[in-house]
Amino acid sequence: MPDTRFLNVTPMLDSKAPAITALISERGWQRLSPHDRIGAAYDYVRDEILFGYNVADTRQASLVLADGYGQCNTKATLLMAVLRALGIPCRLHGFTIDKSLQRGIVPELVYWMAPRSILHSWVEVRLGAQWINLEGFILDQQVLGSLQAAFPGRTSLCAYGAGTDCLQAPMITWQGRDTYIQRAGINADLGIFDSPDAFFGQHQQDLTGVRGWLYRNIIRHWMNRRVAAIRRGAVPGFALR
């Protein structure tokens, strides 16, 4: 019997939500091979769901789709929901990343408030008998292109939402193998989970009280404006190491 854990609908992975089923129908993704279904969903989440910061990591997939933007955890939730709706088994791998990866996006005035370790995740997708790591969907092409243009002489970068040792040619294109864009910022491996619900049931970001309110209502909007500026080619400066 096939293991159905990796296809289940959950509160966060609301794969049967009308907006998700309509997206799949409009794009005709069900007619594709499993390999190309993964690629179509991956490319959509990478470039048509812009890089940005939602109100919470635990946002439902259909709400991330409605937002039209997301970061590592929320984009992962949406990608998983679309993949499961397409019959592609997938699971979540949880980590923490060093907050330096977000420097340049988090304004220097409030950078000190950011937790040292930030919850991070990528999607593991099963194609045949193989599990493949997908992380390269986090930054949309416009943000990545602006960073490449701003730092033409750098090979490694851990800032502005990127964590890579090959900035000018990162492994972000779906070709049936692993993709990465923030892996260089990882500082702890939290293990594999059947769903984001299970991951966030065990691990919560330390953003409570006043700090949480400030993030949700002020700081993340500030961060999103800075990401939009990067997308336009205006990369905020600070002293990179």
Side-chain angles (χ1 to χ4, degrees), residues 77-88:
T77 296
L78 177 57
L79 179 58
M80 288 183 70
V82 174
L83 289 170
R84 289 190 179 189
L86 288 167
I88 303 295

Side-chain angles (χ1 to χ4, degrees), residues 166-192:
C166 46
L167 176 63
Q168 299 305 322
M171 298 176 288
I172 63 165
T173 302
W174 169 246
Q175 296 177 331
R177 56 177 184 260
D178 299 342
T179 70
Y180 301 106
I181 194 59
Q182 292 187 344
R183 182 173 59 164
I186 288 172
N187 57 22
D189 187 334
L190 301 178
I192 295 171

Side-chain angles (χ1 to χ4, degrees), residues 109-129:
L109 185 64
V110 294
Y111 181 73
W112 62 273
M113 293 177 59
R116 170 53 59 187
S117 292
I118 298 169
L119 289 179
H120 174 62
S121 58
W122 70 48
V123 176
E124 295 188 358
V125 63
R126 192 169 70 199
L127 184 60

Side-chain angles (χ1 to χ4, degrees), residues 9-27:
V9 175
T10 71
M12 287 181 67
L13 300 177
D14 54 344
S15 305
K16 295 184 179 179
I20 292 175
T21 56
L23 172 68
I24 290 170
S25 177
E26 289 164 6
R27 302 288 176 120

Side-chain angles (χ1 to χ4, degrees), residues 127-148:
L127 184 60
Q130 182 183 12
W131 284 101
I132 300 168
N133 302 326
L134 300 181
E135 192 209 47
F137 57 82
I138 300 168
L139 300 185
D140 58 79
Q141 289 278 17
Q142 287 180 291
V143 167
L144 178 59
S146 291
L147 295 177
Q148 291 169 328

Side-chain angles (χ1 to χ4, degrees), residues 39 73 89 92 144 165 197 214 218:
N73 298 313
L92 194 80
L144 178 59
D165 293 326
D197 312 63
L214 286 171
I218 298 174

